[in-house]
């Protein structure tokens, strides 16, 4: 006969309050907006200007996302 064991140690974390979720939503929204603005600003630079910053056009999304998200 097979025996099963379970780990009864569960860590319950309290659910964030409505106001904490509300604050987190607008914090994330602000970060996403800043990320989009930085992407737009960098995408308007020439390839030579991007290279001077050590970037390639194909790396812009990754570069900006890493900074903010």
């Amino acid at each position: 006969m097979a025996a099963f064991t379970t780990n009864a140690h569960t860590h319950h974390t309290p659910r964030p309050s409505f106001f904490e979720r509300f604050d987190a939503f607008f914090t994330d929204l602000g970060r996403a907006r800043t990320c989009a603005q930085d992407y737009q600003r960098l995408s308007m630079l020439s390839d030579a200007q991007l290279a001077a910053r050590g970037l390639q056009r194909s790396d812009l999304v990754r570069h900006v996302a890493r900074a903010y998200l």
Side-chain angles (χ1 to χ4, degrees), residues 28-52:
D28 290 345
L29 188 63
R31 289 171 61 194
R33 185 170 189 252
T34 302
C35 182
Q37 289 170 337
D38 281 357
Y39 174 81
Q40 184 177 14
R41 180 181 51 82
L42 288 171
S43 69
M44 291 189 297
L45 297 176
S46 70
D47 289 343
Q49 290 170 314
L50 289 172

Side-chain angles (χ1 to χ4, degrees), residues 16-32:
S17 72
F18 170 78
F19 293 108
E20 289 170 329
R21 292 190 319 261
F22 187 79
D23 182 55
F25 172 78
F26 282 102
T27 298
D28 290 345
L29 188 63
R31 289 171 61 194

Side-chain angles (χ1 to χ4, degrees), residues 28 31-32 35 64-69:
D28 290 345
R31 289 171 61 194
C35 182
V64 174
R66 199 176 310 148
Y68 291 100
L69 307 177

